Amino acid sequence: MLEKSFYEQADKAIAKHGRQRSALMPIIQDIQRVYRYLPPELLSYVAEQLDISEAKVYSVATFYENFSFEPKGKYVLKVCDGTACHVRKSIPILNRLREDLGLSEKKHTTDDMLFTLETVSCLGACGLAPVMTVNDKVYPSMTPDAASALIEELRGESK
């Protein structure tokens, strides 16, 4: 069971966007923006409040890649592994970040909930390859050493 504040946040999103079916996407976007993931209990609650099936809510939430059912860290790191980035050695960057953060292919978020590491097919910045983003801020021409330095800088900002 979630804390009352989670439901209050969902109620705010519902009040902002309305109770019609077309409000589903902006409501769950608002929820994810606040919590960095979609708690399943809130999806059930939203379905009930909008008078639509849970299956419909889950079908929307699972269709779009930007929605997550797992809690994410304060900093979401995305390493591009599209063709241009891959050719320009994005995998060593990904491997260094995993090593620095104690993450793996199966574990994506640090225990302190500070970092989540993801790979993406393309960030749309091929001319700047290899590229990574931190909470949607683009970092071009990355190297493993630059990625490590960025992690240390972000850790310092969080203290």
Side-chain angles (χ1 to χ4, degrees), residues 28-157:
I28 61 178
Q29 285 173 323
D30 283 1
I31 291 168
Q32 180 157 301
R33 193 173 299 114
V34 171
Y35 298 110
R36 297 189 300 271
Y37 81 110
L38 296 173
E41 298 92 335
L42 279 190
L43 292 180
S44 299
Y45 180 75
V46 167
E48 179 183 305
Q49 296 301 307
L50 299 184
D51 195 30
I52 58 179
S53 71
E54 284 187 46
K56 177 66 176 173
V57 173
Y58 274 90
S59 71
V60 170
T62 57
F63 180 79
Y64 295 98
E65 229 176 87
N66 63 318
F67 291 122
S68 174
F69 293 101
E70 294 179 27
K72 292 189 178 192
K74 178 179 179 181
Y75 299 108
V76 178
L77 315 172
K78 294 181 182 179
V79 177
C80 181
D81 194 35
T83 303
C85 289
H86 186 83
V87 167
R88 293 189 177 164
K89 310 237 184 288
S90 61
I91 295 301
I93 296 165
L94 178 64
N95 290 338
R96 174 73 71 85
L97 289 168
R98 283 181 177 151
E99 180 182 317
D100 288 354
L101 298 171
L103 300 174
S104 66
E105 285 186 36
K106 293 185 181 189
K107 182 180 180 187
H108 303 281
T109 301
T110 58
D111 293 337
D112 62 4
M113 295 300 293
L114 197 54
F115 296 100
T116 295
L117 179 60
E118 302 174 342
T119 57
V120 294
S121 299
C122 185
L123 288 170
C126 302
L128 304 174
V131 174
M132 70 179 273
T133 62
V134 177
N135 296 346
D136 299 322
K137 180 179 178 188
V138 176
Y139 290 85
S141 305
M142 289 302 292
T143 64
D145 289 343
S148 287
L150 180 57
I151 293 302
E152 290 309 311
E153 180 181 323
L154 294 170
R155 279 188 175 130
E157 288 177 8

Side-chain angles (χ1 to χ4, degrees), residues 10-24:
D11 288 337
K12 284 181 189 176
I14 292 167
K16 176 180 174 184
H17 298 289
R19 293 180 181 272
Q20 63 277 10
R21 288 176 161 252
S22 61
L24 176 60

